[in-house]
Amino acid sequence: MLQRTLRQIGADPHIKPRLGFGLAVLTGLACLVFSLWLEGRLPMTPGLFPPLLLPAGLTTLFCGLLLVVGRATALSQVMGYLVAENGIFLLGIPLMTAGAVWFELTLLLDIFVAVFVMGIAINHISHTFESIDVGFHDLRD
């Protein structure tokens, strides 16, 4: 039924991203290779990061930023922001033992993301509906 409705109204259900699928996958692989290369080049305290946690966090961060830049709709950009924030959280977990400031900054970023996503959701709800009144006073037995 949805396909028939889409044909009748002539809508295009596919949203064209700014980056094509193939280019996005190649860029993600390049981010992974760069993260693996960067792990060996960064001077860090031995034993601070478990094996492959730094490349996983950096790759997640880079792929989230790629989603933010490469997608056209606000929802997919918010999803990219959430992916980037998860990468920052992965990078912040081992730094929690190094000092409380890093953990507090990571926690502050998590709270900021939650408020950011709720603000976008409330904004979309307010544009979709005229009022937040649900109208229970109009109900009858």
Side-chain angles (χ1 to χ4, degrees):
M1 289 174 44
L2 288 174
Q3 291 293 337
R4 185 178 62 111
T5 305
L6 285 174
R7 277 193 308 266
Q8 286 178 349
I9 64 173
D12 185 19
H14 303 291
I15 298 170
K16 308 289 189 278
R18 292 187 184 120
L19 291 176
F21 179 74
L23 184 60
V25 169
L26 287 176
T27 308
L29 286 174
C31 290
L32 174 64
V33 170
F34 178 69
S35 298
L36 289 169
W37 176 81
L38 195 60
E39 180 187 29
R41 303 291 188 263
L42 288 176
M44 283 184 289
T45 306
L48 181 63
F49 281 95
L52 296 179
L53 181 66
L54 180 67
L58 287 174
T59 302
T60 306
L61 175 67
F62 293 148
C63 287
L65 294 176
L66 179 67
L67 281 172
V68 170
V69 172
R71 299 296 170 194
T73 62
L75 181 62
S76 58
Q77 288 176 345
V78 168
M79 288 174 31
Y81 188 75
L82 289 172
V83 169
E85 189 271 329
N86 285 334
I88 293 171
F89 183 75
L90 280 176
L91 293 174
I93 289 174
L95 297 176
M96 180 175 55
T97 60
V101 169
W102 295 109
F103 178 71
E104 290 171 3
L105 288 174
T106 306
L107 188 63
L108 181 65
L109 182 65
D110 284 339
I111 292 170
F112 174 72
V113 167
V115 169
F116 181 69
V117 170
M118 285 189 301
I120 290 174
I122 290 171
N123 188 24
H124 282 289
I125 289 171
S126 68
H127 285 300
T128 303
F129 300 106
E130 295 176 12
S131 171
I132 60 170
D133 184 21
V134 292
F136 286 132
H137 58 316
D138 292 337
L139 295 176
R140 297 193 179 128
D141 290 331

